[in-house]
């Protein structure tokens, strides 16, 4: 697949981690990046770093869990910039949700952000992209989407939703000129993974992860999972029957 260049892009969850890395990666390559997150001070620092590197990042204070506001704001950005060519739905939360100590408030926060907020982000200007016959929607899912992991019912479920949501959009949008990409990262050293006490094999640094994701986005691949070692391990987990998978996960827990 031929690589594309993007004049404009929106990246959510851009105040830290993968979103920050992707926003800076595209800005350094000449894309005008609208970096969205709740922490505006972090976005201002990102904008200054991009400017020092010759790029353009425009901070956008946004809480994607407020879906109506999110859609309206993205639509305004789209109209003002002459059309967003790339939308990266990266913002997400990853609270532990242990079934033995079920906490609805934690579950709700994960679903509000990772499901409703992400769907609102991806759908905000999709009709306009279809009308223009160009555009690219990217969702950052997770290796955790491939099976239900211990203490992660909400997170694994939300990432599985995103993968299937994007797959259906990809099928619907074939032939429209609008590309769809789902990315499944493994463990990356970010604020979200910092509290984890369990082993995180094959962990990548954010810069390495952003490089891999950026290249995959430019190629327009439909699905990209990395690193290959973690994807291979999850492939084995997917193939395990429940009678083997369930007790194995209880031991890992």
């Amino acid at each position: 697949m031929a690589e594309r260049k993007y004049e404009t892009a929106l990246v959510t969850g851009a105040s830290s981690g993968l979103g920050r890395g992707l926003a800076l990666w595209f800005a350094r390559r000449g894309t005008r990046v609208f970096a969205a997150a709740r922490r505006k001070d972090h976005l201002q620092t990102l904008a200054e770093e991009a400017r020092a590197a010759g790029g353009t990042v425009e901070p956008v204070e946004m809480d994607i869990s407020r879906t109506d506001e999110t859609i309206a704001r993205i639509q305004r950005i789209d109209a003002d910039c002459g059309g967003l060519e790339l939308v990266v739905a990266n913002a997400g939360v990853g609270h532990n949700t242990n079934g033995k100590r079920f906490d609805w408030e934690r579950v709700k926060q994960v679903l509000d952000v990772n499901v409703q907020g992400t769907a609102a982000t991806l759908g905000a200007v999709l009709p306009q992209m279809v009308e223009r016959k160009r555009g690219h929607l990217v969702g950052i899912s997770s290796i955790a989407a491939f099976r239900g992991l211990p203490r992660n019912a909400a997170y694994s479920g939300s990432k599985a939703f995103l993968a299937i949501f994007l797959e259906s959009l990809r099928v619907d949008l074939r032939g429209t000129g609008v590309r769809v990409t789902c990315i499944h990262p493994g463990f990356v050293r970010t604020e979200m993974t910092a509290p984890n006490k369990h082993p995180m094999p094959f962990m990548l640094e954010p810069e390495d992860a952003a490089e891999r994701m950026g290249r995959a986005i430019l190629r327009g691949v439909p699905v990209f999972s990395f690193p290959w070692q973690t994807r291979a391990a999850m492939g084995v987990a997917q193939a395990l029957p429940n009678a083997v998978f369930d007790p194995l996960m209880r031991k890992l827990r």
Side-chain angles (χ1 to χ4, degrees), residues 1 18 30 57 95 103 129 157 179 184-185 225 233 236 241 250-251:
M1 245 176 228
L18 295 177
V57 165
H95 298 315
D103 184 336
M129 286 183 171
R179 288 181 169 186
H184 297 278
S225 305
V236 172
R250 281 196 292 271
K251 287 181 182 179

Side-chain angles (χ1 to χ4, degrees), residues 169-251:
L169 289 182
R170 188 182 74 238
V171 171
D172 288 342
L173 295 170
R174 185 175 179 84
T176 66
V178 180
R179 288 181 169 186
V180 177
T181 295
C182 183
I183 297 180
H184 297 278
F187 295 113
V188 181
R189 197 181 307 279
T190 65
E191 290 181 10
M192 186 181 293
T193 59
N196 292 346
K197 304 299 183 185
H198 58 75
M200 292 180 283
F202 311 110
M203 177 175 277
L204 299 175
E205 297 299 324
E207 296 78 13
D208 184 2
E211 176 75 22
R212 298 183 191 213
M213 293 192 298
R215 293 295 177 193
I217 292 168
L218 291 184
R219 294 196 306 273
V221 296
V223 180
F224 178 60
S225 305
F226 72 99
W228 70 265
Q229 298 96 326
T230 309
R231 178 61 185 97
M234 288 304 295
V236 172
Q238 284 181 294
L240 292 175
N242 293 339
V244 176
F245 176 79
D246 293 2
L248 176 61
M249 289 300 104
R250 281 196 292 271
K251 287 181 182 179

